[in-house]
Amino acid sequence: DQQVKQNSPSLSVQEGRISILNCDYTNSMFDYFLWYKKYPAEGPTFLISISSIKDKNEDGRFTVFLNKSAKHLSLHIVPSQPGDSAVYFCAALYNFNKFYFGSGTKLNVKP
Amino acid sequence: NAGVTQTPKFQVLKTGQSMTLQCAQDMNHNSMYWYRQDPGMGLRLIYYSASEGTTDKGEVPNGYNVSRLNKREFSLRLESAAPSQTSVYFCASPLGAGQETQYFGPGTRLLVL
């Protein structure tokens, strides 16, 4: 049973608009939550993270929100750019040594 | 400074053949991880090594063995490959001094016929 779920396999957004990617988890003991971006034929690259004791973390165009009561996190990209088109993985860290990944959401930003 | 390197980049095996996937990191980190990525499944942890000389099972360890040869190298071995092991394999190591993020290698595409 997957502990981290991304229920939207794909998302299409117009350039300049906001992209919102969602992720749900089941284990309330996760320490950190992370977002990774992946281009075809490359390894995932770290994008942004948030500690379980915070509810928001911002880095440039990227903001991650954590709602612990709903066991839900989201990644906001504003404004979206065509270069943001990739697969985005949500991940959660347990006991500071095990990572659990969602199945990914493919973002397409249209020019 | 190459970060995390993996060899080979691509491999085709016949069912029952064995092979070892190699991973090396030059960041002097203690932890190293092996994942597999399958369509619709995301990345699943196969094995990890918290430090030199230790290894632990992840979510999907069956059919695999690992060796943490030294601090730098962590290999993944398929003793008798099966078509279900067709996947893309990623090695990872912590991105920085903390453990909360990871740096991934470029991946090994494995096809088992």
Side-chain angles (χ1 to χ4, degrees), chain A residues 30-79:
Chain A
F30 285 131
D31 307 296
Y32 265 88
F33 300 91
L34 308 95
W35 285 94
Y36 283 85
K37 179 178 177 179
K38 185 182 181 304
Y39 293 117
E42 293 183 10
T45 53
F46 170 71
L47 194 56
I48 191 169
S49 66
I50 186 168
S51 165
S52 60
I53 61 172
K54 299 204 184 244
D55 53 24
K56 179 182 173 182
N57 187 27
E58 194 171 349
D59 184 2
R61 296 186 297 115
F62 303 92
T63 303
V64 56
F65 295 93
L66 177 62
N67 182 334
K68 287 184 283 293
S69 60
K71 294 192 176 70
H72 177 84
L73 72 155
S74 60
L75 174 68
H76 292 211
I77 306 174
V78 184

Side-chain angles (χ1 to χ4, degrees), chain B residues 20-79:
Chain B
T20 299
L21 285 68
Q22 307 285 356
C23 174
Q25 52 99 1
D26 60 4
M27 301 176 286
N28 201 36
H29 288 151
N30 288 320
S31 303
M32 296 182 75
Y33 301 78
W34 275 107
Y35 294 88
R36 59 178 287 174
Q37 186 200 358
D38 302 294
M41 300 293 290
L43 287 93
R44 291 182 292 169
L45 182 64
I46 305 171
Y47 270 94
Y48 68 101
S49 171
S51 61
E52 185 179 349
T54 68
T55 60
D56 287 285
K57 294 179 181 179
E59 296 174 78
V60 288
N62 292 344
Y64 305 94
N65 286 305
V66 289
S67 295
R68 185 71 185 271
L69 305 167
N70 46 56
K71 194 170 187 180
R72 189 173 170 273
E73 297 171 292
F74 188 35
S75 61
L76 179 71
R77 182 159 178 84
L78 287 70
E79 291 290 351

Side-chain angles (χ1 to χ4, degrees), chain A:
Chain A
D1 190 28
Q2 277 193 291
Q3 298 199 42
V4 177
K5 291 182 182 178
Q6 293 175 258
N7 293 316
S8 299
S10 63
L11 175 67
S12 189
V13 169
Q14 202 67 38
E15 181 180 5
R17 306 293 287 268
I18 184 170
S19 295
I20 300 176
L21 294 93
N22 294 302
C23 180
D24 298 296
Y25 61 95
T26 57
N27 190 342
S28 59
M29 301 300 289
F30 285 131
D31 307 296
Y32 265 88
F33 300 91
L34 308 95
W35 285 94
Y36 283 85
K37 179 178 177 179
K38 185 182 181 304
Y39 293 117
E42 293 183 10
T45 53
F46 170 71
L47 194 56
I48 191 169
S49 66
I50 186 168
S51 165
S52 60
I53 61 172
K54 299 204 184 244
D55 53 24
K56 179 182 173 182
N57 187 27
E58 194 171 349
D59 184 2
R61 296 186 297 115
F62 303 92
T63 303
V64 56
F65 295 93
L66 177 62
N67 182 334
K68 287 184 283 293
S69 60
K71 294 192 176 70
H72 177 84
L73 72 155
S74 60
L75 174 68
H76 292 211
I77 306 174
V78 184
S80 301
Q81 299 173 354
D84 295 330
S85 296
V87 176
Y88 288 79
F89 290 100
C90 166
L93 175 61
Y94 176 75
N95 205 27
F96 284 96
N97 62 15
K98 267 189 178 180
F99 289 84
Y100 293 88
F101 284 79
S103 54
T105 297
K106 186 173 183 178
L107 174 66
N108 179 33
V109 180
K110 296 176 286 188

